[in-house]
């Protein structure tokens, strides 16, 4: 694809801009900022990957994967409840495990090789899926603790510990985090052709080989999503309680409820 063709394709953004202006949707600024950020970030990423591919040093490769995990963890902070603390480290642990275990598995089985052009894209997908799942889990935890505050306190008053009293909230939060991934997987091959498979086919890879690689990605990113959401949720719910097994930030929760 030529740069000119890419620039002309970018003109398609004029349509949502015009619609936003006429309908007073007030999204023009956000759209422009998001587009500019995407262009700048992807160009920088392209140069970084070009450097990493040429150097081909394992420690640089692992460092880049670590940067992906750190960045994904950092982007979950804004989604957490104000009563939560150490959000970054909770997310980091969850995403690190969610990325490291599936990635190690596919390398050991020979599904992918320890090469930049294979490891980095897969690690990026795993980190991104883990981040999205954790964001959904955090949002649902915050919402459900407000919604179910009275029921949780009633269970605590009857002698239940925090885990038992908030079991439904934990379960709903994990489910909320992973359902979009499961629903997306259900439509592969019927409603949509996954991005990884599309890229491989456009790049000249045989369709059946592209399918194999895409299925591998489905297996590991589903695993990473569930693991990340599960770990983050179980490390987070206790922060809504104090050492005496009482809900903390009750006034804050009340304000949100109102």
């Amino acid at each position: 694809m030529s740069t000119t063709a890419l620039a002309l394709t970018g003109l398609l953004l004029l349509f949502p801009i015009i619609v936003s202006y006429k309908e007073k949707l007030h999204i023009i600024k956000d759209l422009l900022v998001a587009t500019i950020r995407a262009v700048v970030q992807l160009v920088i990423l392209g140069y970084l990957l070009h450097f990493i591919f040429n150097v081909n040093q394992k420690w640089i490769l692992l460092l880049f994967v670590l940067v992906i995990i750190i960045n994904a963890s950092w982007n979950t902070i804004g989604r957490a409840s104000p009563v939560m603390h150490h959000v970054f480290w909770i997310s980091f642990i969850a995403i690190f495990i969610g990325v490291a275990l599936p990635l190690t598995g596919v390398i050991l089985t020979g599904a992918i090789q320890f090469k930049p052009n294979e490891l980095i894209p897969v690690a990026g997908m795993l980190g991104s899926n883990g981040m999205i799942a954790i964001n959904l889990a955090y949002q649902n935890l915050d919402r459900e603790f407000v919604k179910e505050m009275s029921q949780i306190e009633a269970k605590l008053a009857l002698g239940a510990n925090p885990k038992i009293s908030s079991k439904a909230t934990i379960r709903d939060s994990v489910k909320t985090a992973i359902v979009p991934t499961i629903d997306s997987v259900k439509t592969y091959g019927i409603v949509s052709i996954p991005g990884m498979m599309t890229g491989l086919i456009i790049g000249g890879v045989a369709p059946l080989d592209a399918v194999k690689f895409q299925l591998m990605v489905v297996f590991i990113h589903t695993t990473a999503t569930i693991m990340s959401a599960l770990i983050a949720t179980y490390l987070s719910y206790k922060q809504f309680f104090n050492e005496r097994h009482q809900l903390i930030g009750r006034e804050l929760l009340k304000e949100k409820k109102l």
Side-chain angles (χ1 to χ4, degrees), residues 167-236:
K167 187 175 182 179
T169 298
I170 295 171
R171 182 175 59 245
D172 289 343
S173 296
V174 174
K175 187 175 180 180
T176 298
I178 65 177
V179 162
T181 297
I182 295 174
D183 287 344
S184 177
V185 171
K186 288 179 182 178
T187 64
Y188 285 172
I190 299 176
V191 178
S192 65
I193 299 177
M196 174 67 74
M197 182 177 169
T198 301
L200 290 172
I201 292 174
I202 292 175
V205 175
L208 289 179
D209 289 334
V211 167
K212 290 178 183 178
F213 200 86
Q214 182 61 55
L215 285 174
M216 181 270 293
V217 170
V218 168
F219 298 153
I220 61 175
H221 93 66
T222 303
T223 301
T225 299
I226 295 174
M227 289 177 64
S228 297
L230 196 64
I231 293 170
T233 302
Y234 271 96
L235 290 178
S236 300

Side-chain angles (χ1 to χ4, degrees), residues 70-81 84 87-92 95 127 130-135 138:
I70 291 173
N71 188 42
S73 304
W74 185 263
N75 279 282
T76 64
I77 295 176
R79 302 295 184 179
S81 169
M84 289 176 57
V87 177
F88 170 80
W89 290 110
I90 291 174
S91 299
F92 180 82
I95 296 175
M131 177 191 70
I132 294 171
I134 290 173
N135 280 338
Y138 285 163

Side-chain angles (χ1 to χ4, degrees), residues 4 6 20 51 61 66 79-80 101 111 118 128 160 178-179 186 191 195 215 242:
T4 302
L6 179 61
S20 174
F51 168 75
L61 180 55
L66 182 62
R79 302 295 184 179
L101 291 184
E118 296 187 20
S128 175
I178 65 177
V179 162
K186 288 179 182 178
V191 178
L215 285 174
N242 60 24

Side-chain angles (χ1 to χ4, degrees), residues 10 47 109 163 227:
Y47 280 108
T109 58
K163 184 177 181 180
M227 289 177 64

